Amino acid sequence: MAETAQREMLRPLPDPLGGLRTAVRYEATQSGALVGGDVYGAVRTPFGVRLFIGDAMGKGLSAAGTAMEALGAFRSLAQRERRLSALAQRMDTVLAGRDGGVDFVTALLIEVADGSESAELVCCGHPPPLLIRAGRATFVDVLPPSPPLGLFGLQDDWCRASTVPLADNDRLLLYTDGVTEARDAKGEFYPLAERAAVLNDDDPGTFLDVLTADLIHYSMGKLDDDAALLLIDFGEVRARARQARAESCQSPQKSATRPIR
């Protein structure tokens, strides 16, 4: 894959984005490659902020090609599909229609509507996000399971979404399994929740820098799989919700003063 295409996958996320602060870090394991099969994205849409993290089947340039396809579908379709579950369904259709065999991407899609005090999530065979709140870190376990993108044909039911209530200064940490499946010299998996709670820093970028360094040190510098981390800092959730309600109440008054033609 050309270097320009690889850099397109590593495009920095907007920060801030619709009142949210974001940060991302990526570690590719293949020598000489900027990226592998892990992919992420975030866009501002008419429906709110939408974020995506995924992990394509396989390794190397083949996986990177599948990941690029998923990222392109996300960036395009996120602006048009009203429901998050429908967005996942459309992305699945794009991947299922690729030539060259069965390609799939585990994925987590998140939407935060303007002024909302909750986040909507769709999980497609991907590890659950980590909720960091008031000094504690716990995995979100309310996600209805769906197959990875590209494999929705294996189920009969429509892809479903779930909701996570938010409090001020909550954070969601999205990641790929290269993080949680990293091992130390004893073969123990990386304790992401424990380490994230201890290393959490007010600055999103600093937090992910320290967490990434800790992950690499834990695995003795030998990650077995690509690893991606995407942090969403929700900040003052209630203040944004109050502002949105106030603006909503003012809108009818403005429309009522328009002259009738």
Side-chain angles (χ1 to χ4, degrees):
M1 178 178 294
E3 183 174 332
T4 53
Q6 295 189 69
R7 292 191 182 281
E8 177 67 14
M9 289 176 63
L10 294 175
R11 184 194 301 179
L13 297 183
D15 181 38
L17 181 62
L20 311 180
R21 299 169 69 197
T22 63
V24 67
R25 297 294 181 269
Y26 192 107
E27 292 290 329
T29 56
Q30 183 170 330
S31 177
L34 294 174
V35 297
D38 291 359
V39 64
Y40 57 84
V43 291
R44 189 83 166 86
T45 78
F47 320 108
V49 174
R50 286 177 167 174
L51 304 103
F52 157 65
I53 190 168
D55 186 355
M57 174 192 70
K59 295 182 181 295
L61 296 182
S62 174
T66 304
M68 275 292 293
E69 189 91 17
L71 179 61
F74 168 74
R75 288 175 176 168
S76 173
L77 297 170
Q79 300 291 346
R80 305 200 299 267
E81 290 296 334
R82 180 174 297 276
R83 292 187 296 125
L84 195 64
S85 57
L87 170 59
Q89 203 83 28
R90 290 288 303 278
M91 291 176 67
D92 169 82
T93 300
V94 170
L95 291 174
R98 293 189 77 207
D99 295 330
V102 178
D103 293 322
F104 65 85
V105 177
T106 69
L108 185 63
L109 299 172
I110 294 183
E111 176 182 301
V112 184
D114 293 343
S116 176
E117 295 183 70
S118 64
E120 187 176 11
L121 292 78
V122 170
C123 182
C124 305
H126 199 81
L130 188 69
L131 175 64
I132 303 173
R133 172 182 292 168
R136 300 182 60 190
T138 56
F139 292 103
V140 176
D141 60 0
V142 295
L143 305 176
S146 293
L149 300 175
L151 298 179
F152 278 19
L154 299 178
Q155 70 171 10
D156 296 327
D157 292 336
W158 183 266
C159 165
R160 293 178 295 159
S162 61
T163 300
V164 176
L166 298 173
D168 284 349
N169 302 314
D170 275 359
R171 288 176 161 184
L172 278 178
L173 180 62
L174 318 185
Y175 56 93
T176 56
D177 60 11
V179 175
T180 49
E181 293 181 1
R183 298 174 184 261
D184 64 6
K186 298 179 182 179
E188 301 282 344
F189 289 121
Y190 184 68
L192 178 60
E194 174 187 326
R195 300 305 295 154
V198 171
L199 299 174
N200 193 24
D201 187 276
D202 289 342
D203 180 74
T206 300
F207 172 41
L208 290 196
D209 283 339
V210 173
L211 190 62
T212 301
D214 186 66
L215 172 67
I216 293 173
H217 175 75
Y218 184 90
S219 60
M220 303 164 291
K222 299 178 181 179
L223 291 175
D224 293 327
D225 196 3
D226 300 331
L229 293 160
L230 194 166
L231 182 70
I232 311 166
D233 187 321
F234 295 97
E236 297 181 356
V237 174
R238 293 186 178 88
R240 288 199 303 273
R242 287 195 299 269
Q243 181 179 355
R245 287 194 293 268
E247 292 174 354
S248 177
C249 291
Q250 293 172 1
S251 297
Q253 296 176 6
K254 292 180 180 179
S255 60
T257 60
R258 293 176 184 170
I260 299 176
R261 297 180 180 178

